[in-house]
Amino acid sequence: MSHSVSASKAAPTAGEAGLIHQLCRWCGTASFRRLLCPVCASSDLDSVRSDGLGVVVRSSVVHRYTEAARNESLVRLPEGFVFRCQVVGAAPHLVYVGARVRPVTGAAPDSGELVLELCDPVGRADWQ
């Protein structure tokens, strides 16, 4: 017995901003880059497009694997899931909890790393 959840499906288009996430057909849970639903363990997942607008819930500056500092954040989307990504558009230490973020237009979704940018400028352009 399958519960169908209506959602707008869309294939990703090159250069188009947004995120493709999964929506469980059984319980309606949204998840990101999963093979199984994190709630009911169903593998019956639909791919759904989100506008990708989210809010930073945790932010840190890391120096791992590179000489330059970069930002690593946890971002929550309105669909209900949280994921780790890099936030650009400001100095790594200026990305704050509560900042609104969106996907970077033109970023390669197949690269494995998710990059988002700040929706609102931080106010300091001299950080570079």
Side-chain angles (χ1 to χ4, degrees), residues 32-110:
F32 186 67
R33 293 184 178 169
R34 299 281 185 128
L35 296 175
L36 299 174
C37 173
V39 173
C40 70
S42 171
S43 62
D44 195 7
L45 305 175
D46 278 333
S47 292
V48 181
R49 176 168 288 286
S50 165
D51 60 9
L53 296 175
V55 176
V56 174
V57 294
R58 181 172 169 229
S59 180
S60 60
V61 177
V62 295
H63 299 274
R64 189 176 46 223
Y65 309 122
T66 179
E67 291 181 19
R70 65 187 180 100
N71 174 274
E72 250 186 35
S73 293
L74 292 179
V75 172
R76 179 179 307 278
L77 263 64
E79 289 82 5
F81 56 90
V82 176
F83 59 91
R84 181 185 320 264
C85 65
Q86 180 180 3
V87 176
V88 297
H93 65 281
L94 294 178
V95 176
Y96 57 95
V97 172
R100 295 180 315 127
V101 292
R102 64 180 169 239
V104 173
T105 306
D110 299 332

Side-chain angles (χ1 to χ4, degrees), residues 1 4 18 21 25 33 63 95 103 106 117 121-122 128:
M1 170 168 124
S4 179
H21 66 279
R25 287 185 175 190
R33 293 184 178 169
H63 299 274
V95 176
E117 65 184 354
V122 176
Q128 293 180 334

